[in-house]
Every structure is written in C-alpha cells, then in structure tokens.
Amino acid sequence: MSHSPPGPHAGDGLPRCRWCDGAPEFPAYHDAEWGFPVADDRRLFEKVCLEAFQSGLSWRTILGKREHFRLAFLGFDFDRIAAFGPRDVERLLQDEGIVRHRGKIEAVIRNAAGAQALVKEFGSLGAYFWRFEPDPATLAAPQTVSTHAASVAMSKDLKKRGWAFVGPTTAYAFMQAMGLVNDHEPGCHARAKVAAARAKFKPPVA
C-alpha cells in the first residue's frame, strides 16, 4: 500500500487511500469496512483466517473469494470449524472457490480450537484481541510500516497458544482492518469517519 497523497478512486471525487487504485472492488471495502472497529467474534476470526490465506497472495484474490470462503467455512463459526477432521480438509482441498493450500486450511481448523480456548479464558475473541490495541502515539505515519510492537506481541502470544499463520505482518494487517489502528491516510475521506467510530467504540473486556 502506497502512502502517496490520497485521490479519488471510485469516480465520485472522494479522496481515498492510494491502495484503492488496486482493484475496482477496493473502494467499497475501504469505505465501509477497512479500519472501522470490530468486536464481533466471527468477524474477527474470519479476518485472522483470511489474512492467513492472503499470505503470499493479493488481497484482491482473497476479497474476490470471500463469499465462497464464508460458505466453505460455515460463516467462520469457529465452534463448528474446530470439529472439522481429515475428511473436511480433503473436501476443502477440492474446493475451487477458495485458496487450496493444505497448511492454511489446517491452520484455520487449528486456530478455531485456539479461538474456543480464548473465549473460555477471556469471554470473547474481542476481549482478547483488543488487549493489543496500540497507543496511537506510538504509531508510524499511516501505511508506512507493516508491523508494530503490538502486532509482534500479538503474534508471539498467539503462537505460544498454538495458533499458526499469525506472523507480525499478518497481525498488523488484521489490526489495520479491524480498527485497532486508524491507518487511513491524512486527507482520506474515511479517516475522520473511522476516528469518530473509534471514539464511540467501547472495546470488549474480559
């Protein structure tokens, strides 16, 4: 993602983050989802999983397949996914609508069990993930870095708990998308909207 001055990217004259140039699907995702704070456990789990699938690929590829991912993984209901077995893995490996990568598919199942453990310990995934919200004063200029000390800490903690495909870069992309940081560029029309949403948002607590 570039940090060039924002410009219009959807034919409506609104200034947006430059990465919206990457695909015609991006402006809608950028305007309605990216950076707005999320507490819903299924959405949080979904995003962790999709960021893992994106590793080595483009977000456009994953976003284009997102609805099929949701069908294949039962709406990212981690309680149901945790019960998946070898037959489910083989079934998913034949599913052309998703990214057919054995390690990533098995990671979703493994991480679903990890999500259950986090809910048992913290009450919700939201309460766990929002513990890692970084102090805004420690953040670099928007979209100039791919990790932060908080994403490193999140990654280390998840790996200790047995999660897979949750490196510091994946964790930071998750933070950007789920609103733990407001990484919209200065001048982007969504930056103020995200700031307002974050100001009203009450992070879940254990």
Side-chain angles (χ1 to χ4, degrees):
M1 294 181 183
S2 166
H3 53 277
S4 304
H9 306 275
D12 55 13
L14 291 174
R16 291 179 172 86
C17 297
R18 283 288 173 185
W19 59 265
C20 289
D21 283 335
E25 312 95 289
F26 284 175
Y29 170 72
H30 167 277
D31 291 0
E33 295 186 55
W34 196 74
F36 287 90
V38 173
D40 179 79
D41 279 8
R42 280 206 200 178
R43 285 191 60 197
L44 292 167
F45 184 69
E46 173 185 287
K47 188 60 177 173
V48 169
C49 295
L50 294 183
E51 289 293 348
F53 274 107
Q54 186 191 343
S55 179
L57 302 171
S58 71
W59 176 241
R60 184 180 189 182
T61 297
I62 303 304
L63 186 60
K65 294 176 177 288
R66 183 167 65 168
E67 289 305 318
H68 203 102
F69 270 111
R70 287 170 172 169
L71 288 172
F73 286 101
L74 308 179
F76 289 93
D77 181 341
F78 49 84
D79 287 322
R80 296 174 69 188
I81 295 169
F84 280 12
R87 289 184 180 179
D88 295 289
V89 173
E90 296 306 317
R91 169 179 58 81
L92 291 164
L93 283 169
Q94 302 304 314
D95 191 334
E96 296 181 357
I98 66 170
V99 174
R100 294 179 290 175
H101 183 291
R102 180 180 293 274
K104 293 176 181 179
I105 291 170
E106 290 177 343
V108 171
I109 300 169
R110 179 177 175 178
N111 294 349
Q116 289 181 311
L118 288 178
V119 170
K120 185 175 181 179
E121 182 176 351
F122 295 95
S124 69
L125 289 189
Y128 171 78
F129 283 121
W130 278 92
R131 294 166 63 241
F132 294 96
E133 179 185 11
D135 179 348
T138 68
L139 297 173
Q143 297 172 41
T144 60
V145 299
S146 59
T147 64
H148 181 277
S151 76
V152 172
M154 179 190 290
S155 173
K156 285 182 178 179
D157 192 68
L158 286 171
K159 288 178 179 179
K160 284 182 182 178
R161 295 170 183 274
W163 288 55
F165 283 94
V166 285
T169 300
T170 295
Y172 193 64
F174 168 85
M175 289 179 163
Q176 290 172 303
M178 297 287 95
L180 278 75
V181 301
N182 182 357
D183 224 30
H184 285 275
E185 298 174 32
C188 170
H189 82 94
R191 183 172 178 83
K193 293 178 182 177
V194 167
R198 279 175 46 82
K200 294 179 181 178
F201 181 74
K202 294 182 178 180
V205 296

